Amino acid sequence: VLASAGHFVGFAGASEELPCAAGNYSTVGATECAACPAGEFTDAPGQSSCTSASAGYAVDSSGSDAQTECGPGTFSAGAGATECAACLAGSFQGDSGKTSCVLASSGYFVGFNGASEETACPAGEFSTAGATECTPCPAGEFTATKGQDSCTSASAGYSVEESGSANQTACDPGTYSAG
């Protein structure tokens, strides 16, 4: 008996072919099945070829019968991934099964790899898109609320003496600030 694709004949004189188990495959005439390589899988017995892991998924070992969805904080960009990659600092991914990460928004930051969410900059600090940390407002400027992408200059009659300030201070009687 000559084995059909997805099956094998285990020994000479065998009267029937047997299907390859899920995670394995064979071609016509096989005497044994081969394990699907990492990055590929078969989810049913009797397969003649393996299927590449879909984008957003990975298969980390040979002989797999399923692909694994990339979790939050990770992604796989294309088919056939053997592992999900962590989002780099400055980016994040809040959902599973994704093919890319999202840059941190202006006014937010992501300070480590593998993040599933971004964090708002505190009052007194700001950031631009893709930031890995927030920047303190310079002296003379402030931000009164969190999540800002720029600082505000002190108003006339007020001052901001220290960097990283969340508010402006009214000038003392008998002094002034042009702003």
Side-chain angles (χ1 to χ4, degrees):
V1 173
L2 183 64
S4 58
H7 295 76
F8 71 102
V9 175
F11 58 93
S15 61
E16 64 181 356
E17 62 182 18
L18 299 171
C20 293
N24 297 273
Y25 73 101
S26 73
T27 56
V28 173
T31 57
E32 63 183 12
C33 300
C36 293
E40 299 181 11
F41 71 102
T42 60
D43 58 3
Q47 301 301 303
S48 60
S49 63
C50 301
T51 302
S52 292
S54 304
Y57 292 76
V59 176
D60 65 359
S61 61
S62 62
S64 292
D65 61 3
Q67 57 184 347
T68 302
E69 187 174 40
C70 295
T74 67
F75 72 102
S76 72
T82 58
E83 64 182 7
C84 298
C87 295
L88 297 177
S91 67
F92 70 100
Q93 182 49 259
D95 298 321
S96 297
K98 295 300 180 178
T99 60
S100 64
C101 298
V102 179
L103 277 181
S105 306
S106 295
Y108 291 76
F109 75 101
V110 177
F112 58 92
N113 294 345
S116 60
E117 62 186 5
E118 59 187 352
T119 303
C121 291
E125 299 183 14
F126 72 100
S127 75
T128 56
T132 59
E133 62 185 6
C134 299
T135 303
C137 293
E141 297 181 10
F142 71 103
T143 60
T145 58
K146 66 181 183 177
Q148 299 302 304
D149 63 0
S150 63
C151 300
T152 302
S153 295
S155 304
Y158 290 83
S159 67
V160 178
E161 297 191 10
E162 294 184 18
S163 65
S165 292
N167 52 41
Q168 56 185 349
T169 305
C171 293
D172 291 331
T175 64
Y176 75 96
S177 167

